[in-house]
Amino acid sequence: MKKIVLFFILIIAFATSYSQVTTRFISLNPDSSFKEIPFYSVDVIDARTNKENIGYVFKGIGNKRIPAQFEDGFLPHLNKFCTTILPKEDAKIGLILIIRKLSITDHTNAQYSYSDCQIEIEFAKKIEDKLYSLGIFDTQLIGNTNRNLHSKRIEEGVFHCLRKLNRTNWHIT
């Protein structure tokens, strides 16, 4: 009987410690780069109003809301991501990406649950120590609340903003 009680105490202790996870870490691992886009990423600037995290996601059966963050910090992670998808090449122009908004949020109601990703990026060109804005582009993606899709949704949102800039005459300015 003592072994059974001890077993249940260990299970409860493990379940409690597992449920105390306070942050979900997100990692962006793009499959490929955008070779057809005629610019590369020089730098990423964090201009978000809320810099504590990138949003809130659900965890566990009770849908506990916990903050989400990038694994190695916002700027280091996004700089690595942007230099991967927008590699430096001689024929390309260097641009600065100013992240004005990047957030993911899980929502639920009585009938269904969904996840929301909002991204707003300003693209700028640096000329003689001055930044010249080429435009601000945003996107919102809504899908199911699968935690494995948060990173893919963020990647897709960034790609949407890149495509929007590329459809303009930004290179003429």
Side-chain angles (χ1 to χ4, degrees):
M1 181 67 174
K2 289 181 182 181
K3 288 182 182 181
I4 293 174
V5 171
L6 181 62
F7 177 73
F8 281 117
I9 289 173
L10 288 174
I11 287 180
I12 290 170
F14 176 74
T16 303
S17 67
Y18 177 74
S19 68
Q20 297 301 317
V21 173
T22 57
T23 303
R24 162 120 348 112
F25 291 102
I26 308 273
S27 179
L28 303 178
N29 299 309
D31 298 338
S32 62
S33 64
F34 269 132
K35 300 216 183 277
E36 71 275 2
I37 291 185
F39 60 88
Y40 65 92
S41 172
V42 173
D43 195 12
V44 175
I45 297 173
D46 185 4
R48 299 172 301 144
T49 54
N50 178 8
K51 297 182 181 183
E52 291 180 23
N53 56 54
I54 61 170
Y56 292 90
V57 297
F58 291 146
K59 178 198 171 295
I61 297 172
N63 285 340
K64 179 181 176 184
R65 285 176 53 100
I66 60 171
Q69 295 180 354
F70 289 124
E71 285 182 340
D72 49 354
F74 188 83
L75 282 176
H77 199 80
L78 274 182
N79 266 317
K80 186 173 88 174
F81 171 72
C82 289
T83 55
T84 301
I85 64 170
L86 301 168
K88 183 176 181 176
E89 294 178 13
D90 292 336
K92 294 185 175 186
I93 299 169
L95 296 183
I96 296 172
L97 285 70
I98 303 168
I99 309 297
R100 297 193 169 280
K101 184 172 193 173
L102 192 155
S103 68
I104 57 173
T105 308
D106 287 346
H107 305 276
T108 189
N109 63 27
Q111 307 228 342
Y112 59 92
S113 62
Y114 65 95
S115 185
D116 176 29
C117 176
Q118 297 179 12
I119 298 177
E120 183 178 295
I121 303 174
E122 178 176 2
F123 296 90
K125 191 176 186 181
K126 190 172 189 174
I127 301 174
E128 297 177 8
D129 294 334
K130 292 183 181 178
L131 287 180
Y132 294 93
S133 178
L134 302 174
I136 299 172
F137 302 92
D138 65 346
T139 189
Q140 180 176 11
L141 302 167
I142 297 174
N144 66 13
T145 55
N146 183 337
R147 74 181 182 113
N148 298 324
L149 295 179
H150 289 302
S151 59
K152 293 298 179 193
R153 202 167 285 124
I154 292 170
E155 291 174 16
E156 187 178 342
V158 171
F159 293 153
H160 279 232
C161 293
L162 293 172
R163 286 186 198 108
K164 286 180 179 181
L165 171 68
N166 204 36
R167 286 193 297 257
T168 67
N169 290 330
W170 67 269
H171 55 279
I172 294 173
T173 58

